[in-house]
């Protein structure tokens, strides 16, 4: 018989899907890493430096002590009965762990929870959102997820019926969106951010792309906005956000707001505003706008990527649509409890007066200052290099410099059947061990941009 | 404008998907639980007893101490530098945590890992499989996942192109399979287990259903076998397994082996054999059979459902197909590290001579004996009740008794527009607070079976 499973008979949506931040360059880097282990000294560098993805703890960032104290106590609650624990853990970590355990039915951190997440933890997350925004938030609107990615997949799965359904996405975009849209069989409708104006998002561009898609018979279901931007690092101005919210209401689009970099802002003249706050500020209620906000424990100053925690806050959906979201969530039973606890902690960190506050604040400020310092240092370094230009990193964790390659390099890339930026990234890896992602992986028009931590 | 998102314009695959173990009865139970909190004494019972799903820690089962010690130390590694830790944790938990941390690049339990899972942990899992089976296992074949469910989804996503692709599934089946096949747009091809022969799996039945499906133009891609059975509790005999393996090879089917209950066997005359062991025992190598084995930290004696750990071991796929599996895994970056560590621990628990061994063994034996005792007590109780009959629970965590409802009850169900068993389950909940799942949720032909822990 012919082999029962071959690339030719797999789901074509899977074949079509691309995910550049874990793609060809990273797979090649993993091979080189193995080579370094088996044949030390065989390459012009001693280690691989993974700058392909925001993964700060892999580059030495330490986790926030308070968060880890609470997690350890919740993982092994019998510690709470031991005298020695008082000298090993801060008093507020102990009381926080006790409070969290008291909200978990049976104190069972090893039980499946409600498919939206443990109610007490969702209450804490909602309280954190309300404090951040100055508008009420409701635990019933929170779906706790294993990082932000599964939430994005759930929304794509819900909204996309076939290739005639479209999702407006920024270009350059974080490739999770293109990958998820491909896997769920919809169509990505690009809108282009303008590199010349610091990656500006123009409503006229949104309108143009929306009308163009509609004229081709595409039913545009939603608009994805990433703020602060990934990979571009821009922070949207409040006016711009108001216009986006109005645009979504007027055009009947779901607003999918990727707000995972909400703590990562490095310039004084910008601040983070959630889209829900903006919508409520201009008087829009639940009925005006279906809105989903994604948050993750992986980013911010916490950087707890490996814990896979996060949530989405869903407002403006009817009860019957909400039931369908719940059903999709329930097919995976629940997200991991450690990640759920962490999501509640990042939305309710220690407060002034708590024993851990000073240490927590020092750790948080240290991490954010270091990220800001490194962003600035890299930005300056890039702009001082010949043939490279780079916008200001206002937020998020990345720089996205433009590399102006000489014609000969472009021809060499063509000969190797690679995009010029992919060719450059491969050569950079082989010469230095530094792993970056070519801008073409983000759909960038000029194909000459890079992603670097 | 019409509302932009309504049930009528959602993905029809989502609407079609059903997931009985978290369906109508459970949602009603959650409402009653809230009522008990706000109006104590308003119902004929004081608490809700969730027997809808194997979730042992929610019913008071304690986690295995050694596992939780290691998790706590890995969550907060600075404990390893403190003197007090030696009196709070067992010596082998400390050394195991140190060993695990040494295999994680940068000791970073908060970093995204390789998308298949941390290499050192996969080595440990592979070593555990090799010891269990007596045949080699390879870390490159292991994909660590957030529980078994995401692994099942990944395989369905890979194999199913459209409704002309079919997957053979046992009926009664665990509804994850029907839900996942519906979400990915394929067709479930049922094969019926025979209640009269203790839920026997007949090759003639597989053949009949396969041929029937093929005659309708269905391309049958894979066979799902759940062993020990869920919800039926039977343990397959070795001969039967050999025949199943031969059947898959001869018919060109992928064998999807759900082996999450591998530690849950309650009768002396049966033992668990992995399908990989069976295949290798009869001389089948990689090229003979594409085989996926699913394992989870949620079941067994560990019962760590909330930690969302598990893995799939994939053998017999070509390198190019494997790349596609890796790509799907990479779109979610990685599974949670706590679950990854736990998956390595359940496949490598303490061994004789380790400080924790005696305590570990006592905990493990206590849990398994208690499960066996309860299965037997329930089985006897059911068989002594009028109108109920129940097969022996050889393994897994469930009983699946048949309730012979009187004609009047069936008519009352019809009047209420419910399946008779769903009607009974709802009345049982309202009278006692006990949550079970009607057999119809598992596709059972007679529609009169129940799932109970």
């Amino acid at each position: 018989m012919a082999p029962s499973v071959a690339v030719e008979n797999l789901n074509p949506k899977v074949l079509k899907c691309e995910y550049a931040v874990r793609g060809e360059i990273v797979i090649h880097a993993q091979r080189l890493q193995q080579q370094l282990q088996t044949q030390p000294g065989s390459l012009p560098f001693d280690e691989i430096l993974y700058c392909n993805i925001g993964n700060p703890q892999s580059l030495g960032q330490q986790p926030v002590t308070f968060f880890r104290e609470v997690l350890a106590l919740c993982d092994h609650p019998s510690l709470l009965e031991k005298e020695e624990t008082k000298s090993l853990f801060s008093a507020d970590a102990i009381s926080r762990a006790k409070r969290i355990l008291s909200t978990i039915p049976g104190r069972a951190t090893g039980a499946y929870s409600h498919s939206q997440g443990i109610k007490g933890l969702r209450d804490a997350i909602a309280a954190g959102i309300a404090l951040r925004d100055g508008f009420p938030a409701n635990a019933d609107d929170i779906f706790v997820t294993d990082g932000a990615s599964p939430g994005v997949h759930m929304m794509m799965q819900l909204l996309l019926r076939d290739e005639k359904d479209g999702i407006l996405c920024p270009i350059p975009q974080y490739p999770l969106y293109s990958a998820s849209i491909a896997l769920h069989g919809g169509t990505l409708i690009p809108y282009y951010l303008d590199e010349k104006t610091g990656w500006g998002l123009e409503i006229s561009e949104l309108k143009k792309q929306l009308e163009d898609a509609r004229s081709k018979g595409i039913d545009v279901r939603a608009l994805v906005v990433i703020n602060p931007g990934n990979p571009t690092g821009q922070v949207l101005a409040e006016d711009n956000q108001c216009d986006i919210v109005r645009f979504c209401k007027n055009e009947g689009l779901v607003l999918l707001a990727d707000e995972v970099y909400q703590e990562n802002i490095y310039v004084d003249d910008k601040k983070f505003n959630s889209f829900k706050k903006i919508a409520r500020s201009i008087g829009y209620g639940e009925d005006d706008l279906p809105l989903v906000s994604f948050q993750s424990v992986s980013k911010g100053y916490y950087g707890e990527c490996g814990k896979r925690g996060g949530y989405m806050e869903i407002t403006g959906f009817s009860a019957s649509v909400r039931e369908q979201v719940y059903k999709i969530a329930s097919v995976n039973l629940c997200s991991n409890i450690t990640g759920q606890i962490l999501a509640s902690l990042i939305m309710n960190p220690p407060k002034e007066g708590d024993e851990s506050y000073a240490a927590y604040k020092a750790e948080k400020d240290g991490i954010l200052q270091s990220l800001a310092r490194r962003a600035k240092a890299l930005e300056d370094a890039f702009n001082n290099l010949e043939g490279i230009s780079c916008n200001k990193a206002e937020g998020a964790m990345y720089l996205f410099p433009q590399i102006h390659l000489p014609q000969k390099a472009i021809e060499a890339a063509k000969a190797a059947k690679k995009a010029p930026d992919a060719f450059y990234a491969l050569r950079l890896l082989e010469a230095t061990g530094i792993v970056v992602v070519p801008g073409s992986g983000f759909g960038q028009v000029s194909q000459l941009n890079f992603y670097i931590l």
Side-chain angles (χ1 to χ4, degrees), chain A:
Chain A
M1 291 197 62
S4 53
V5 191
V7 170
E8 296 70 37
N9 60 27
L10 297 183
N11 179 356
K13 293 174 192 164
V14 169
L15 299 178
K16 196 180 161 197
C17 161
E18 283 186 24
Y19 195 55
V21 298
R22 287 267 164 133
E24 182 197 1
I25 311 265
V26 181
I27 291 169
H28 187 53
Q30 287 165 348
R31 271 193 297 262
L32 295 181
Q33 190 164 24
Q34 282 195 320
Q35 183 181 332
L36 282 176
Q37 272 163 14
T38 52
Q39 308 162 50
S42 64
L43 292 169
F45 44 85
D46 295 327
E47 61 170 335
I48 303 281
L49 212 57
Y50 287 98
C51 302
N52 56 306
I53 194 164
N55 194 10
Q57 293 190 28
S58 79
L59 299 175
Q61 181 178 307
Q62 291 305 303
V64 173
T65 306
F66 175 80
F67 297 159
R68 293 308 192 94
E69 285 184 316
V70 176
L71 291 187
L73 292 167
C74 290
D75 265 341
H76 192 35
S78 68
L79 288 174
L80 292 165
E81 293 146 29
K82 305 279 174 59
E83 196 52 35
E84 296 96 318
T85 299
K86 289 183 194 154
S87 65
L88 278 176
F89 292 84
S90 63
D92 54 338
I94 291 173
S95 61
R96 181 70 73 98
K98 285 182 178 167
R99 200 184 333 149
I100 287 172
L101 288 168
S102 75
T103 72
I104 302 179
R107 297 161 54 95
T109 54
Y112 294 127
S113 71
H114 187 287
S115 295
Q116 285 184 236
I118 292 163
K119 174 67 164 55
L121 300 177
R122 284 185 283 130
D123 285 333
I125 290 169
I129 295 171
L131 192 69
R132 179 194 71 194
D133 290 347
F135 289 96
N138 187 335
D140 294 341
D141 296 339
I142 308 295
F143 286 71
V144 190
T145 48
D146 290 311
S149 307
V152 171
H153 287 308
M154 267 192 251
M155 294 315 301
M156 296 303 172
Q157 191 158 42
L158 186 80
L159 294 173
L160 295 172
R161 290 163 294 187
D162 54 40
E163 72 283 0
K164 300 304 269 179
D165 279 336
I167 307 282
L168 272 161
C169 289
I171 297 294
Q173 52 109 24
Y174 181 56
L176 168 64
Y177 293 97
S178 50
S180 189
I181 292 168
L183 282 176
H184 294 101
T187 295
L188 186 150
I189 313 296
Y191 65 90
Y192 295 93
L193 304 177
D194 184 6
E195 187 165 5
K196 286 190 218 71
T197 61
W199 304 110
L201 193 172
E202 296 295 329
I203 300 292
S204 58
E205 165 72 5
L206 290 180
K207 236 183 200 115
K208 186 183 129 214
Q209 300 295 349
L210 175 68
E211 277 161 20
D212 185 50
R214 283 181 176 159
S215 75
K216 291 175 186 152
I218 303 280
D219 187 350
V220 181
R221 310 296 314 268
L223 168 69
V224 171
V225 180
I226 310 175
N227 180 47
N230 175 7
T232 42
Q234 85 286 13
V235 179
L236 294 178
E238 206 171 320
D239 296 359
N240 201 191
Q241 287 187 275
C242 292
D243 290 341
I244 292 166
V245 165
R246 286 190 196 101
F247 174 78
C248 287
K249 175 176 157 66
N250 294 339
E251 300 292 352
L253 301 177
V254 179
L255 177 51
L256 300 175
D258 181 334
E259 302 184 321
V260 303
Y261 294 97
Q262 56 189 263
E263 301 273 5
N264 298 99
I265 306 225
Y266 310 123
V267 288
D268 293 333
D269 58 337
K270 289 284 178 83
K271 84 187 260 284
F272 170 75
N273 294 296
S274 78
F275 273 102
K276 185 165 150 241
K277 175 182 170 184
I278 295 289
R280 298 295 174 269
S281 303
I282 60 173
Y284 283 10
E286 282 262 347
D287 292 343
D288 292 302
L289 185 73
L291 170 62
V292 184
S293 164
F294 300 99
Q295 164 65 325
S296 167
V297 306
S298 304
K299 309 302 169 190
Y301 58 91
Y302 9 95
E304 292 276 19
C305 307
K307 295 298 182 189
R308 312 309 288 125
Y311 68 81
M312 53 181 182
E313 183 191 17
I314 296 186
T315 51
F317 284 58
S318 69
S320 53
V321 172
R322 186 87 73 102
E323 271 173 29
Q324 298 298 323
V325 182
Y326 175 80
K327 188 172 70 181
I328 306 178
S330 76
V331 175
N332 275 330
L333 296 167
C334 66
S335 63
N336 85 86
I337 306 294
T338 305
Q340 291 192 26
I341 293 171
L342 202 42
S344 84
L345 294 174
I346 66 158
M347 298 308 286
N348 292 274
K351 294 190 176 38
E352 253 184 294
D354 293 345
E355 183 184 307
S356 292
Y357 182 72
Y360 155 77
K361 190 158 184 324
E363 290 177 0
K364 171 181 170 176
D365 292 349
I367 291 166
L368 289 174
Q369 283 158 12
S370 161
L371 284 168
R373 197 167 52 238
R374 282 181 282 162
K376 185 83 186 90
L378 265 177
E379 177 198 316
D380 291 346
F382 280 133
N383 283 321
N384 284 325
L385 281 176
E386 196 191 321
I388 296 192
S389 59
C390 185
N391 268 321
K392 201 165 171 174
E394 299 177 338
M397 287 186 176
Y398 316 100
L399 288 176
F400 205 58
Q402 181 158 156
I403 317 276
H404 307 269
L405 293 180
Q407 194 54 36
K408 274 194 175 168
I410 293 172
E411 278 158 23
K414 201 180 271 178
K417 291 188 179 151
K418 303 246 175 253
D421 56 354
F423 184 73
Y424 183 98
L426 219 45
R427 296 291 293 268
L428 180 67
L429 167 62
E430 287 173 345
T432 64
I434 297 173
V435 187
V436 299
V437 182
S440 51
F442 302 82
Q444 177 58 1
V445 272
S446 77
Q447 301 208 324
L448 287 169
N449 276 320
F450 286 79
Y451 192 64
I452 194 161
L453 183 72

